[in-house]
C-alpha cells in the first residue's frame, strides 16, 4: 500500500478498486504491524485519498498501545493522515499528543508545521501541547520554508490560538521570505493575521508589496479572503486595493461548458465571497463604480444562496458606499424578505438602517420587517438601537405608521441621547465658528445647537433672515468615502437627510479643505465658506 501511495504521489494513476483490495489484504495483518508499518499505512491511505473509517478505527486501536515507540516522523505521518482523511478519534489524539510532546525537540521544522496544520484541520486544540509545540517551533523558525510558515500562521488562526511572542518571532522570520511565498500562502497569511487581530504595519506593508506582484495568480477565494482581511485589520492601502480589484475583474479561462471563453474571476466568487467583498469595500470606504457593477451582476443570480447575515451585510454595504442600483436592491429585498424569520437582531438593525439611508420606500418589505423588529424588541443593544431610531425617524418622514413597541422606541431614544451627550468638538470647529460669525448676517451663529426635538446636535447653527435655518457641519475624513473624499458615506448622508427633514439646510465644511484655505489667511477661509453658500 505504501508503494502504491508513492506511485500515486509521482503521478501514476492508482485505481480505487486496487486500493480497496489492498485494504482488504492488510486488514488481517494489522495486529502484526509495528510503528513504521502502522504509520506508513495511515500515510498511504491519506495520500491515496481512500476513506475507510472501520479500517482506520482498527489501525488506531493497534497503534495506541505502541505510540511510545513511534519516532517523530511516524507520529507526524499519523496525525497528518488523520487530518487528510478527516478521521476523528479524541482518545487516540490525546494519547498521540502525549507521545509527541516528549519528542518535540527532535521534530524538524516541517514536522512541526505539519503537526500544527493537522491539529487545525482536525479542530483539535490542546493549549498545553500547543505551548510546547510553539516553543520547539520558535527555535527552528529560520529553517521553516515559506509554505511551512504560512501553514503555521493559518493553523494558529484556525485554532484561535494567539501567542503574541511566537507571532512576533514568526513574522520576523517570514518577512525575510515573503518574496518566495505563493499567492495562496500570502492570502492565508493575511487572513490569519486578521482572524487573530494581530497588527503589524511594517509586516503588512512588506506583505502587500509581495502580494501585489502575485495578484494575477490569486484564485477568487484568495482575493475575497485578502480584501476581507484588510478591512478587518482596518488596513487601507488605496493603491493595493485598486490593483486587487483589477485582478478580481481579470479574465481567466473557463472550464464550464456553459461559460464559453474567458470570464472575470469576480463572476466565480461564491455567494459568501461576494458578500465578504462588498462588506470589506464598505468597511474601507472604497467604492469603485465599475467594479461594484460587475460584483452585483455576479451576486444577483446567487442571492438565494446568501445567508441572512450576507444579505444584511450587503444592504449595509451598499448604503454605506452610497451605491445605488435599484434593480439589484429590488432582487435583494425579495430574497431577504423570504429569510427575515432567520435574521438576528444586528442583521435586522443593519437592514432597517440601510433602507433609511437608501430611502428605499418598499412598503411590502417594511411591513414584513417591522413585526420581526417588534418581536426582538428586548434583544437590541447599541449600536443597533441607534440604527433603529434613525430607521423610525425615516419612517416618520415617510409618514408611515409603525407598530413598534413603545418601550423599544424609549430605549432607542435613550441610547441616542447618550450618544448626543458624548459629542466631541474637533479642533477645527472653533476656527470655523469664528469665521462664520464674521460673515454678513451670521453674527448669531452658535456651536453645538440642539434641534427642537433634542435629537441632533448641529456643529454650527445659523438662523438667517426669513426663517432659513443653516446647519454647518464640520466634517472630518471619516464622514466620507476613502476612495472619494468629497462623497459622504451612508451615515453622513442619513444624518443630513434627517436634519433636512427638520427644516435645516445642511452645508458640509470638509476639514481637509478648511485647513488648506485657513492656512492662506482669513479672507481665503471666508471665501471658502461663501462658496459653499454659508451666509452668502
Amino acid at each position: 500500500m505504501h508503494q502504491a501511495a508513492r506511485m500515486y504521489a509521482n503521478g501514476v494513476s492508482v485505481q480505487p478498486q486496487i486500493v480497496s483490495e489492498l485494504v482488504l489484504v492488510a486488514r488481517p495483518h494489522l495486529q502484526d504491524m509495528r510503528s513504521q508499518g502502522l504509520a506508513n499505512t495511515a500515510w498511504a491511505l491519506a495520500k491515496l485519498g481512500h476513506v475507510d473509517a472501520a479500517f482506520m478505527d482498527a489501525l488506531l486501536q493497534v497503534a495506541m498501545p505502541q505510540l511510545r515507540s513511534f519516532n517523530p516522523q511516524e507520529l507526524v505521518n499519523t496525525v497528518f493522515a488523520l487530518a487528510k482523511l478527516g478521521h476523528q478519534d479524541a482518545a487516540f489524539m490525546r494519547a498521540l499528543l502525549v507521545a509527541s510532546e516528549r519528542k518535540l525537540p527532535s521534530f524538524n521544522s516541517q514536522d512541526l508545521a505539519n503537526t500544527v496544520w493537522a491539529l487545525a484541520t482536525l479542530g483539535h486544540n490542546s493549549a498545553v501541547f500547543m505551548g510546547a509545540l510553539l516553543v520547539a517551533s520558535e527555535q527552528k523558525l529560520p529553517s521553516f520554508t515559506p509554505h511551512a510558515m504560512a501553514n503555521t500562521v493559518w493553523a494558529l488562526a484556525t485554532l484561535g490560538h494567539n501567542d503574541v511572542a511566537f507571532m512576533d518571532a514568526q513574522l520576523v522570520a517570514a518577512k525575510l521570505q515573503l518574496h518566495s511565498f505563493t499567492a495562496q500562502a500570502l492570502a492565508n497569511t493575511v487572513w490569519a493575521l486578521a482572524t487573530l487581530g494581530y497588527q503589524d504595519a511594517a509586516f503588512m506593508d512588506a506583505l502587500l508589496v509581495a502580494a501585489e506582484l502575485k495578484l494575477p495568480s490569486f484564485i477568487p477565494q484568495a482575493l475575497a479572503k485578502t480584501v476581507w482581511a484588510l478591512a478587518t485589520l482596518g488596513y487601507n492601502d488605496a493603491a493595493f486595493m485598486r490593483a486587487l480589484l483589477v485582478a478580481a475583474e481579470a479574465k481567466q479561462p473557463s472550464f464550464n461548458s456553459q461559460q464559453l471563453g474567458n470570464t472575470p474571476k469576480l463572476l466565480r466568487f461564491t455567494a459568501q465571497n461576494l458578500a465578504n467583498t462588498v462588506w470589506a469595500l464598505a468597511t474601507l470606504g472604497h467604492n469603485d463604480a465599475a467594479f461594484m457593477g460587475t460584483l452585483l451582476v455576479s451576486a444577483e443570480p446567487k442571492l438565494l444562496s446568501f445567508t441572512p447575515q450576507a444579505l444584511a451585510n450587503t444592504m449595509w454595504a451598499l448604503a454605506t458606499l452610497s451605491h445605488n442600483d435599484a434593480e439589484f436592491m429590488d432582487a435583494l429585498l425579495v430574497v431577504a424578505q423570504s429569510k427575515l424569520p432567520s435574521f438576528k437582531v444586528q442583521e435586522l438593525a443593519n437592514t432597517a438602517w440601510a433602507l433609511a439611508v437608501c430611502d428605499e420606500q418598499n412598503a411590502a418589505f417594511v411591513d414584513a420587517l417591522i413585526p420581526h423588529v417588534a418581536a426582538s424588541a428586548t434583544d437590541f443593544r447599541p449600536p443597533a438601537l441607534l440604527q433603529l431610531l434613525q430607521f423610525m425617524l425615516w419612517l416618520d418622514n415617510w409618514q408611515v405608521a409603525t407598530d413598534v413597541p413603545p418601550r423599544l422606541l424609549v430605549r432607542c431614544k435613550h441610547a441616542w441621547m447618550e450618544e448626543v451627550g458624548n459629542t466631541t468638538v474637533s479642533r477645527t470647529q472653533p476656527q470655523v465658528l469664528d469665521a462664520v460669525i464674521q460673515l454678513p448676517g451670521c453674527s448669531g451663529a452658535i456651536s453645538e445647537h440642539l434641534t427642537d426635538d433634542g435629537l441632533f446636535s448641529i456643529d454650527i447653527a445659523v438662523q438667517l433672515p426669513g426663517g432659513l435655518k443653516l446647519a454647518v457641519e464640520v466634517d472630518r475624513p471619516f464622514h466620507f468615502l476613502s476612495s472619494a473624499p468629497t462623497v459622504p458615506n451612508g451615515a453622513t448622508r442619513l444624518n443630513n437627510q434627517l436634519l433636512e427633514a427638520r427644516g435645516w439646510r445642511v452645508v458640509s465644511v470638509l476639514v481637509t479643505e478648511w485647513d488648506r484655505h485657513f492656512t492662506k489667511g482669513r479672507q481665503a477661509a471666508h471665501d471658502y465658506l461663501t462658496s459653499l453658500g454659508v451666509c452668502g
Side-chain angles (χ1 to χ4, degrees):
M1 194 181 302
H2 187 260
Q3 184 62 37
R6 289 286 184 191
M7 293 168 58
Y8 182 78
N10 289 325
V12 178
S13 177
V14 179
Q15 295 299 317
Q17 182 58 36
I18 294 175
V19 180
S20 297
E21 291 173 0
L22 288 172
V23 168
L24 287 174
V25 172
R27 180 65 181 268
H29 301 286
L30 283 176
Q31 291 292 342
D32 300 325
M33 289 186 185
R34 294 296 174 257
S35 59
Q36 184 178 6
L38 292 164
N40 284 349
T41 300
W43 175 87
L45 289 177
K47 279 293 184 181
L48 293 165
H50 185 85
V51 177
D52 185 327
F55 182 83
M56 281 300 296
D57 286 339
L59 185 150
L60 298 187
Q61 187 175 3
V62 175
M64 188 180 293
Q66 301 185 48
L67 282 173
R68 279 177 169 272
S69 65
F70 276 49
N71 65 35
Q73 187 63 57
E74 291 160 358
L75 290 166
V76 174
N77 281 354
T78 302
V79 73
F80 167 85
L82 293 176
K84 276 288 189 179
L85 295 170
H87 192 91
Q88 298 282 357
D89 187 321
F92 182 83
M93 281 298 298
R94 286 193 295 271
L96 185 145
L97 296 191
V98 169
S100 297
E101 188 172 349
R102 297 190 184 100
K103 297 177 182 177
L104 281 174
S106 300
F107 278 40
N108 63 35
S109 57
Q110 194 60 53
D111 292 339
L112 293 162
N114 285 350
T115 299
V116 72
W117 172 86
L119 293 178
T121 302
L122 289 167
H124 190 96
N125 194 359
S126 166
V128 173
F129 180 81
M130 284 297 297
L133 184 146
L134 296 187
V135 167
S137 297
E138 188 169 347
Q139 297 168 358
K140 295 187 171 80
L141 279 174
S143 62
F144 271 56
T145 64
H147 182 70
M149 287 184 176
N151 276 359
T152 299
V153 71
W154 171 86
L156 293 176
T158 301
L159 290 170
H161 190 94
N162 204 345
D163 185 315
V164 175
F166 178 80
M167 284 295 296
D168 289 345
Q170 184 177 26
L171 295 194
V172 168
K175 191 174 180 180
L176 299 174
Q177 299 194 56
L178 281 173
H179 62 282
S180 298
F181 276 45
T182 65
Q184 192 60 49
L186 291 163
N188 284 350
T189 299
V190 71
W191 172 86
L193 295 179
T195 301
L196 291 170
Y198 186 92
Q199 298 280 354
D200 185 326
F203 181 82
M204 283 297 297
D205 289 343
L207 186 148
L208 294 192
V209 168
E212 188 168 349
L213 296 173
K214 293 177 180 171
L215 280 174
S217 300
F218 276 48
I219 62 174
Q221 184 183 23
L223 291 165
K225 185 183 288 189
T226 300
V227 70
W228 173 88
L230 294 177
T232 301
L233 288 169
Y235 191 93
N236 205 341
D237 184 317
F240 181 81
M241 281 300 299
R242 288 193 294 271
L244 188 148
L245 299 191
V246 168
E249 286 195 282
K251 294 181 178 180
Q252 66 178 136
S254 171
F255 300 101
N256 185 333
S257 61
Q258 296 178 341
Q259 295 178 325
L260 300 178
N262 293 339
T263 57
K265 291 180 183 179
L266 188 55
L267 295 181
R268 303 181 189 194
F269 277 38
T270 65
Q272 194 59 54
N273 290 159
L274 291 162
N276 285 351
T277 300
V278 72
W279 170 86
L281 293 175
T283 300
L284 292 170
H286 191 99
N287 191 7
D288 179 314
F291 179 84
M292 284 295 295
T294 306
L295 186 149
L296 298 187
V297 166
S298 178
E300 188 167 344
K302 298 169 185 168
L303 283 173
L304 285 173
S305 300
F306 275 48
T307 64
Q309 182 184 35
L311 291 165
N313 280 356
T314 301
M315 281 187 271
W316 173 86
L318 294 176
T320 298
L321 291 171
S322 300
H323 189 92
N324 297 316
D325 186 319
E327 184 178 338
F328 179 82
M329 184 62 83
D330 287 344
L332 189 152
L333 292 181
V334 168
V335 177
Q337 186 169 334
S338 70
K339 298 187 179 184
L340 279 174
S342 300
F343 274 43
K344 297 177 181 177
V345 289
Q346 189 58 56
E347 292 155 9
L348 292 168
N350 283 347
T351 299
W353 180 84
L355 292 175
V357 174
C358 298
D359 196 25
E360 189 66 37
Q361 298 182 21
N362 186 317
F365 187 85
V366 170
D367 288 344
L369 176 65
I370 295 295
H372 294 287
V373 171
S376 302
T378 59
D379 299 325
F380 289 103
R381 299 288 182 274
L385 291 170
L386 307 181
Q387 292 174 302
L388 287 178
L389 182 69
Q390 292 175 301
F391 169 66
M392 288 185 268
L393 294 175
W394 169 72
L395 289 178
D396 287 343
N397 297 343
W398 189 22
Q399 297 183 336
V400 173
T402 60
D403 190 20
V404 175
R407 188 171 179 181
L408 175 58
L409 181 58
V410 169
R411 290 182 63 227
C412 288
K413 285 186 174 180
H414 178 73
W416 183 268
M417 293 311 299
E418 282 192 350
E419 193 75 11
V420 171
N422 291 329
T423 300
T424 58
V425 176
S426 70
R427 64 169 179 81
T428 306
Q429 191 168 318
Q431 297 174 359
V432 178
L433 175 63
D434 180 62
V436 169
I437 288 174
Q438 296 177 44
L439 293 174
C442 292
S443 59
I446 58 175
S447 181
E448 297 305 322
H449 171 74
L450 289 177
T451 55
D452 292 341
D453 56 10
L455 293 176
F456 295 88
S457 179
I458 297 170
D459 289 348
I460 298 170
V462 187
Q463 300 278 353
L464 296 172
L468 178 64
K469 299 187 295 184
L470 185 67
V472 180
E473 293 290 278
V474 182
D475 290 330
R476 285 172 273 183
F478 65 78
H479 290 97
F480 304 91
L481 299 180
S482 63
S483 60
T486 61
V487 177
N489 59 27
T492 304
R493 279 179 59 198
L494 183 55
N495 185 74
N496 292 348
Q497 290 169 13
L498 294 174
L499 281 176
E500 289 167 357
R502 281 155 180 73
W504 292 85
R505 182 168 72 84
V506 180
V507 173
S508 177
V509 174
L510 283 68
V511 166
T512 50
E513 282 296 297
W514 171 262
D515 288 343
R516 187 167 67 85
H517 289 86
F518 187 70
T519 55
K520 296 178 181 178
R522 178 178 297 179
Q523 188 58 51
H526 288 175
D527 291 345
Y528 172 58
L529 291 174
T530 302
S531 72
L532 296 175
V534 178
C535 303

